[in-house]
Amino acid sequence: MIKHFITLEWKQFLRASYFQKGIVVKIFLILGALYFGGIALFLGVGLFFIAKKALPETDPVVTINNFIIYWFLFEILLRYFMQQLPVMNVKPLMVIPVKRDAVIHYLLGKTMLSFFNFLALFLFLPFSIVLLVNGYPVVNVVFWFLAVLFITWSINFLNFLVNKSNIGFYITAVLLLSLIGLEYYGIYAASEPIGFAFNTLYNNPYLAGVPALLLVFLYTLNFNFIKKGFYLDGVISRKIETVRTTDLSWFNRFGSVAPFIKNDIKLIWRNARPKQVLKMSVLFLFYGLVFFPQDTYKDTPAILAFASIFVTGGFLLTFGQLVPSWDSEYYKMMMSQNISYRKYLESKWYLMIFAVAISFILSTPYIYFGWEIYALIAAGASFNIGLNSFITLFGGALNRMPVELNAKAKAFSNTNGFNPTQLLIALPKMVLPMLLFYVPYKLVNYQTGILVLGLSGILGLILRNFFLRKIEIIYQKGKYKTIAAFAEKN
């Protein structure tokens, strides 16, 4: 049965409209996995010697055990943001004689192939080998290593549950930050009792059975959780909600694009996924606090230019990158109407520049760090409006992954609608403003860099009609491919 599932998914991949793009994406993902896996291997080999040099009076095994909890907490957060949970189109399987248990076991088994499960292997296997070479007891090292793997795999299945809710993320994030803060300021050394537990596990190999039992428990919990909702009635049923009407007549002043703008505002207001993205975009306003107060970055102002793009471009970068995927659920209907593609794109553009303008107003407190910083933010806002908005719309023409508007997962980790092609489109969004600022800054001075960055946005506004016309042509050419891709069930 597992062989049949693999065959079906392989055929779905080969026959999908995004097949060629998927091949390129997978090559990039494999190269990325090799790169980070190589880093983990080198770090694992040197971990013993790093620990010995940092605390020479302490056994490296004890040092690692004392701080390994931070690795596991970091891994939970990393998985929450980065790990894409496997999906499978199970509706067709529900009406044929296929055992539900087999489908669920296959789905859970796919999670074990995640790169994050191998990351701990790459890190702690070389460390364990170095321990054995240095004469540490074989049984203790082997069972300690197995315990670490069991905990890693347990985190994998824990993430499967946590990914359904924001509560687990907030608890983990607060716990990690609290432990680091308490340790850093010497209030409470959380590493001591936790380190004692891991050292006890190392000294008593039979205790490796505890994380093994935890792994079995979490697997069973996930299995029962999925099986509970694995019914055709639960899949096809729709939740009926009362919709509140909102007066949006103010937007009528935008003329023929007003209906599209009002439709997008209602979409954001009434649906879970875009509402989450809107909330997340607000966090970008605080991005400058990471860079602007630090004296380190004053010697590398190109990084400050990079930060200024994020301060005012939160909504543009998060909501804008999923145009037209936001409309995927009714895109076919829209395209069958007498609707101007130009007006459709203009409405998205107006919405993004409106959000940039609001973000710029809200960024006014950054004047505290000096007028030069605030001028840099203003130049970044100009770039976002005049150039970044068009780059984002262009990237949307290459994005044919549908979005589930009421997906319950978080905006941070919800990869529904995510296309790795967006990562390639993100490069000019990030690198171009840094170059526009850095080159004149290096050749002339800081003020000239700000001026060039700001004028680039004004130039983009002057060429607005030209950019929109070219982007419209690209959307028109890919119209039917986009409709077909949105109709696919991924």
Side-chain angles (χ1 to χ4, degrees):
M1 186 59 67
I2 300 299
K3 180 181 177 182
H4 287 300
F5 291 151
I6 295 173
T7 303
L8 288 172
E9 294 209 55
W10 178 248
K11 288 180 178 179
Q12 182 185 22
F13 174 69
L14 290 177
R15 297 169 181 175
S17 63
Y18 48 82
F19 169 66
Q20 292 180 339
K21 188 183 297 181
I23 290 292
V24 176
V25 167
K26 290 195 179 297
I27 291 173
F28 276 105
L29 291 177
I30 291 171
L31 291 175
L34 291 173
Y35 173 74
F36 288 107
I39 292 176
L41 281 172
F42 281 111
L43 181 60
V45 172
L47 200 58
F48 176 88
F49 305 101
I50 294 171
K52 194 171 184 178
K53 185 177 180 180
L55 296 171
E57 71 283 355
T58 307
D59 189 329
V61 173
V62 174
T63 302
I64 297 302
N65 282 334
N66 285 345
F67 295 98
I68 199 171
I69 183 61
Y70 294 105
W71 164 259
F72 290 131
L73 290 174
F74 170 73
E75 188 178 341
I76 292 174
L77 295 181
L78 187 67
R79 287 175 182 270
Y80 185 92
F81 286 115
M82 302 295 294
Q83 185 176 6
Q84 185 172 359
L85 297 180
V87 293
M88 186 176 180
N89 186 18
V90 297
K91 287 183 184 179
L93 301 176
M94 290 181 174
V95 294
I96 59 176
V98 175
K99 291 185 178 180
R100 288 182 297 160
D101 290 8
V103 178
I104 298 171
H105 282 307
Y106 175 73
L107 188 63
L108 291 175
K110 283 179 66 177
T111 66
M112 297 299 292
L113 299 177
S114 170
F115 169 73
F116 298 96
N117 290 328
F118 292 97
L119 196 59
L121 182 69
F122 295 152
L123 183 63
F124 292 106
L125 179 59
F127 174 72
S128 300
I129 293 174
V130 172
L131 290 179
L132 293 176
V133 171
N134 281 272
Y136 283 78
V138 176
V139 175
N140 297 67
V141 172
V142 170
F143 278 89
W144 176 86
F145 173 68
L146 290 175
V148 170
L149 288 186
F150 291 149
I151 295 173
T152 296
W153 296 338
S154 298
I155 291 173
N156 174 72
F157 293 113
L158 177 64
N159 183 56
F160 203 97
L161 296 172
V162 169
N163 224 269
K164 308 296 181 184
S165 164
N166 288 322
I167 297 175
F169 162 72
Y170 292 129
I171 292 175
T172 306
V174 170
L175 180 62
L176 178 60
L177 294 175
S178 299
L179 290 178
I180 292 175
L182 292 172
E183 189 94 35
Y184 180 79
Y185 291 106
I187 299 175
Y188 174 70
S191 60
E192 291 182 2
I194 298 172
F196 175 78
F198 278 99
N199 285 317
T200 303
L201 187 151
Y202 172 79
N203 293 319
N204 301 276
Y206 62 87
L207 290 178
V210 176
L213 291 174
L214 176 63
L215 174 62
V216 173
F217 171 74
L218 288 172
Y219 184 92
T220 306
L221 197 64
N222 274 279
F223 181 87
N224 293 331
F225 176 80
I226 297 173
K227 190 173 183 178
K228 187 178 179 181
F230 200 89
Y231 293 96
L232 189 60
D233 292 343
V235 172
I236 64 175
S237 62
R238 298 290 182 185
K239 185 180 180 181
I240 301 175
E241 297 181 356
T242 303
V243 178
R244 298 178 182 178
T245 58
T246 307
D247 182 19
L248 300 174
S249 58
W250 181 86
F251 291 95
N252 291 334
R253 66 189 65 194
F254 289 97
S256 56
V257 301
F260 298 105
I261 295 176
K262 290 191 285 187
N263 184 60
D264 282 331
I265 292 175
K266 291 175 183 177
L267 179 143
I268 295 170
W269 186 257
R270 295 173 179 175
N271 296 283
R273 177 77 189 279
K275 192 181 293 184
Q276 290 164 349
V277 168
L278 177 64
K279 292 176 181 177
M280 187 183 75
S281 66
V282 175
L283 299 179
F284 280 73
L285 283 168
F286 303 96
Y287 196 82
L289 296 177
V290 178
F291 295 93
F292 298 147
Q294 305 295 331
D295 294 332
T296 307
Y297 299 108
K298 291 181 180 179
D299 298 328
T300 54
I303 301 297
L304 300 182
F306 173 83
S308 70
I309 300 300
F310 276 82
V311 170
T312 58
F315 184 82
L316 182 148
L317 296 171
T318 53
F319 183 88
Q321 71 174 347
L322 292 178
V323 173
S325 294
W326 293 116
D327 304 309
S328 60
E329 293 186 3
Y330 49 87
Y331 194 77
K332 186 185 295 185
M333 183 273 292
M334 284 182 61
M335 293 299 104
S336 66
Q337 306 297 313
N338 185 22
I339 291 174
S340 168
Y341 229 134
R342 171 66 176 267
K343 299 301 179 184
Y344 172 78
L345 293 173
E346 274 192 274
S347 69
K348 306 295 184 184
W349 183 77
Y350 276 119
L351 194 64
M352 287 189 287
I353 64 170
F354 181 74
V356 173
I358 294 296
S359 299
F360 176 63
I361 294 171
L362 294 176
S363 69
T364 304
Y366 279 109
I367 294 175
Y368 172 81
F369 298 108
W371 285 101
E372 287 188 341
I373 292 294
Y374 191 65
L376 188 59
I377 293 174
S382 175
F383 174 83
N384 281 331
I385 291 173
L387 285 180
N388 227 356
S389 57
F390 297 116
I391 296 172
T392 301
L393 285 178
F394 169 75
L398 307 177
N399 181 27
R400 298 191 178 107
M401 298 295 289
V403 164
E404 184 183 350
L405 293 176
N406 278 303
K408 297 301 181 183
K410 306 74 40 205
F412 285 106
S413 64
N414 194 332
T415 52
N416 176 247
F418 172 77
N419 187 336
T421 304
Q422 295 167 7
L423 298 177
L424 300 178
I425 298 298
L427 290 177
K429 294 181 187 179
M430 307 304 162
V431 176
L432 184 58
M434 295 174 68
L435 289 176
L436 288 172
F437 171 81
Y438 183 76
V439 173
Y441 157 75
K442 203 67 178 176
L443 295 176
V444 188
N445 55 31
Y446 186 92
Q447 290 73 20
T448 306
I450 293 176
L451 184 63
V452 171
L453 182 61
L455 289 176
S456 68
I458 296 174
L459 178 63
L461 285 176
I462 295 172
L463 298 174
R464 169 178 170 270
N465 290 329
F466 171 80
F467 287 141
L468 285 174
R469 185 167 62 251
K470 293 296 183 182
I471 294 171
E472 180 188 5
I473 293 172
I474 296 172
Y475 272 84
Q476 287 283 12
K477 286 182 178 179
K479 174 180 176 180
Y480 295 104
K481 289 183 179 179
T482 304
I483 291 173
F486 285 166
E488 290 183 5
K489 303 298 182 183
N490 297 313

